[in-house]
Amino acid sequence: MKPDALRGHLDALLLATLDGRQLHGYAIIEELQQGSGGALDLPTGTVYPALRRLERAGHVTSDWSTVGGRKRRTYKLTQAGQRALLAERSAWREFTTVIDGVLGGGGKWAQT
Amino acid sequence: MKPDALRGHLDALLLATLDGRQLHGYAIIEELQQGSGGALDLPTGTVYPALRRLERAGHVTSDWSTVGGRKRRTYKLTQAGQRALLAERSAWREFTTVIDGVLGGGGKWAQT
DNA sequence: GTTCATAAGTAGCTGACCTACATATAGCGT
DNA sequence: ACGCTATATGTAGGTCAGCTACTTATGAAC
């Protein structure tokens, strides 16, 4: 998959990954990798700043913990984040519906 | 719909709109607007440069014509453009499958 | 004669995402 | 002791697609 097709949809992926659980950045990356069958291999330089953005936006909060001597910053959704996730999901549905319409039936075939 | 969710998918829309017919830029914009039920309202500053990009890439060719005293640059797909459209369609399908997986079933529910 | 619809275009900005790098600990092998 | 790999977090800087705003031009309507 071309790397920046994600543009504008990364937040949705992160919020969805954090839905109902607490994860740290590194774990989120692995989770997305596995959950997509290897199709999503997000670099840390993409994910960490994105999580900070989400935190600044109030959609997630973070806490530090130490596991096996290593520091982790674990994130979880806020209530605003939950709401944002719902919004992202419906925006995604609308988006795919529109594009599907053009790509599949918006052209010359359209037989209404 | 948030304006730049399109990033990376505009080419697919333009190629699909031109599939099997010749259109000029202004008509493409209107076509996309109608074909999407008003959801897609692309500014000319987005579409014209994109068409030029596609022409540089060899995916479309353009010819000038004059209708009612107004000059139009009409575009049509090249064979490479046809191939590109097929590629864009399958990339789109893959993309939505991956994101749908994460957004819908990639999280805690995944009950495989 | 000015306003609207049609038609095409450029200039400049923004910012999300990428690439590449820096930092640090634990554990393993040698 | 030393280096390498996996784990874990982060920053600096660049790219470039798409956006905003503007310019140019014709024909029709008023």
Side-chain angles (χ1 to χ4, degrees):
Chain A
M1 155 153 47
K2 81 172 72 158
D4 56 36
L6 288 183
R7 268 180 188 273
H9 307 288
L10 179 60
D11 289 3
L13 292 179
L14 296 177
L15 293 173
T17 305
L18 284 172
D19 189 24
R21 53 185 173 172
Q22 244 183 111
L23 291 172
H24 54 106
Y26 198 85
I28 292 176
I29 292 173
E30 290 189 317
E31 194 64 30
L32 283 170
Q33 223 174 114
Q34 287 159 20
S36 66
L40 290 172
D41 190 14
L42 305 180
T44 64
T46 292
V47 172
Y48 289 120
L51 288 168
R52 299 301 219 66
R53 263 205 317 277
L54 288 174
E55 189 169 24
R56 268 207 312 280
H59 294 161
V60 301
T61 50
S62 65
D63 293 293
W64 284 100
S65 65
T66 302
V67 177
R70 290 195 194 85
K71 283 184 175 183
R72 291 173 171 177
R73 200 209 280 261
T74 58
Y75 292 90
K76 64 182 168 206
L77 293 188
T78 60
Q79 285 180 357
Q82 287 285 352
R83 265 178 272 124
L85 175 56
L86 288 178
E88 291 280 5
R89 273 204 242 259
S90 84
W92 170 251
R93 237 170 266 131
E94 189 201 344
F95 176 65
T96 53
T97 302
V98 168
I99 306 295
D100 276 339
V102 174
L103 248 50
K108 52 175 174 168
W109 314 280
Q111 42 213 353
T112 319
Chain B
M1 158 152 44
K2 82 171 69 157
D4 56 34
L6 288 184
R7 266 181 190 272
H9 309 289
L10 178 60
D11 290 3
L13 294 178
L14 296 177
L15 293 174
T17 305
L18 283 172
D19 190 24
R21 52 184 174 173
Q22 245 184 110
L23 291 172
H24 55 105
Y26 198 85
I28 292 175
I29 292 172
E30 290 188 318
E31 194 65 29
L32 283 170
Q33 222 173 115
Q34 287 159 20
S36 66
L40 290 172
D41 190 13
L42 304 180
T44 65
T46 292
V47 172
Y48 291 123
L51 288 169
R52 298 303 219 66
R53 262 205 319 276
L54 288 174
E55 189 168 25
R56 269 207 312 280
H59 293 161
V60 302
T61 51
S62 65
D63 294 293
W64 284 99
S65 64
T66 303
V67 177
R70 288 194 196 86
K71 284 185 175 183
R72 292 173 171 176
R73 201 209 281 260
T74 58
Y75 293 89
K76 65 181 167 209
L77 292 189
T78 61
Q79 285 178 358
Q82 287 285 351
R83 265 179 273 124
L85 175 55
L86 289 178
E88 291 280 6
R89 274 205 242 259
S90 83
W92 170 252
R93 237 169 266 131
E94 189 201 344
F95 175 65
T96 53
T97 302
V98 168
I99 307 296
D100 276 338
V102 174
L103 247 49
K108 52 176 173 165
W109 314 280
Q111 41 212 354
T112 316

